[in-house]
């Protein structure tokens, strides 16, 4: 059985073989560590995984080591990214300077280069890249986590829609980048584009404003996908597809 690790509200998977099994066999697309709450609930309900938490005390020594590691990693990333960006700008400087000249900028190319380099090399802790850990911080004091804990991070409708789509054979990822709940694929997203953008509507009798429907439909059309509204009534999932037709 696959072991999922619960940590501070998130569910992670560390074992590379388990990750590959989830993706290839069960169409669970953790990328690569953090799972959606709907994915976790599905795995628990299908008895494909168990959810555990490892309680441990963070000592002052551990905290100091972590802070040093974070600071060192941040500085290394700043240097690496700046060097990469410098090479990119060097190959583009002719066009950049020409564009500046058209706007009346007469500064020397060297000064323009420094300005462009500095404004595009701001790496902070919020956007720094972290390495992928292959083991949890602790394997001691392992306790099983209740399914109810995961339910706090989603709602019944979203989970039921996710499960219904999954049971139909689709691949599903979060739709947050399009302001929706899910993106739905015919195959693995590595090889396929999403075909549906799904927005879950809690109350099937709720009247959606026409501007919301138009905006959702136009967005989906702009990115070459179908806009889908999903809801549940009498324990049955229903879908409405919005097709945008240019007059």
């Amino acid at each position: 059985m696959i072991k999922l690790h619960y940590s501070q509200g998130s569910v992670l998977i560390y074992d590379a073989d388990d990750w590959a099994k989830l993706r290839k066999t069960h169409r669970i697309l953790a990328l690569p560590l953090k799972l959606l709450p709907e994915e976790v609930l599905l795995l628990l309900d299908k008895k494909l995984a168990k959810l555990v938490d490892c309680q441990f005390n963070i000592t002052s020594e551990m905290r100091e080591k972590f802070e040093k590691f974070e600071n060192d990693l941040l500085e290394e990333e700043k240097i690496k990214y700046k060097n990469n960006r410098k090479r990119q700008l060097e190959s583009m400087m002719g066009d950049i300077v020409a564009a500046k000249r058209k706007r009346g900028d007469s500064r020397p190319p060297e000064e323009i280069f420094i300005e462009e380099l500095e404004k595009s090399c701001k790496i902070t802790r919020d956007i720094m890249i972290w390495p992928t850990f292959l083991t949890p911080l602790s394997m001691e004091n392992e306790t099983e986590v209740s399914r109810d804990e995961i339910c706090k991070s989603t709602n019944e409708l979203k989970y039921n829609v996710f499960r219904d789509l999954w049971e139909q054979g689709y691949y599903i990822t979060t739709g947050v980048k399009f302001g929706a709940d899910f993106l739905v694929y015919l195959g693995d997203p590595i090889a396929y584009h999403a075909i549906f953008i799904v927005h879950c509507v809690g109350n099937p009798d709720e009247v959606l404003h026409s501007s919301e429907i138009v905006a959702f439909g136009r967005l989906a059309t702009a990115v070459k996908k179908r806009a889908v509204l999903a809801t549940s009534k009498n324990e049955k999932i229903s879908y409405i597809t919005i097709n945008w037709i240019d007059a």
Side-chain angles (χ1 to χ4, degrees), residues 2 13 18-28 43:
I2 295 171
I13 182 166
D18 284 347
W19 172 82
K21 183 177 180 181
L22 283 180
R23 190 176 189 97
K24 295 176 181 178
T25 306
H26 303 302
R27 306 188 312 282
I28 296 297
L43 291 170

Side-chain angles (χ1 to χ4, degrees), residues 73-82 118-129:
L73 182 62
L74 179 59
E75 292 306 312
E76 289 176 12
E77 287 191 18
K78 286 180 178 179
I79 294 171
K80 184 70 174 178
Y81 184 76
K82 191 168 187 176
E118 291 301 322
K119 75 180 184 182
S120 62
C121 287
K122 299 186 184 300
I123 303 295
T124 65
R125 283 176 170 78
D126 293 332
I127 60 174
M128 65 185 291
I129 299 173

Side-chain angles (χ1 to χ4, degrees), residues 2 97 99 106 181 185 191 245:
I2 295 171
V97 171
S106 59
D181 292 301
Y185 305 74
I245 301 174

Side-chain angles (χ1 to χ4, degrees), residues 186-197:
L186 284 174
D188 193 314
I190 291 176
Y192 290 80
H193 291 293
I195 55 172
F196 302 129
I197 303 177

Side-chain angles (χ1 to χ4, degrees), residues 9 11 34-44 147 149-155 158-159 162:
V11 178
K34 188 175 178 179
L35 279 71
L36 296 175
E38 295 81 17
E39 291 175 323
V40 177
L41 291 173
L42 180 75
L43 291 170
L44 295 178
R147 182 186 187 279
E149 194 67 34
I150 305 304
C151 291
K152 298 176 183 177
S153 301
T154 185
N155 58 60
K158 283 183 66 176
Y159 171 57
F162 180 93

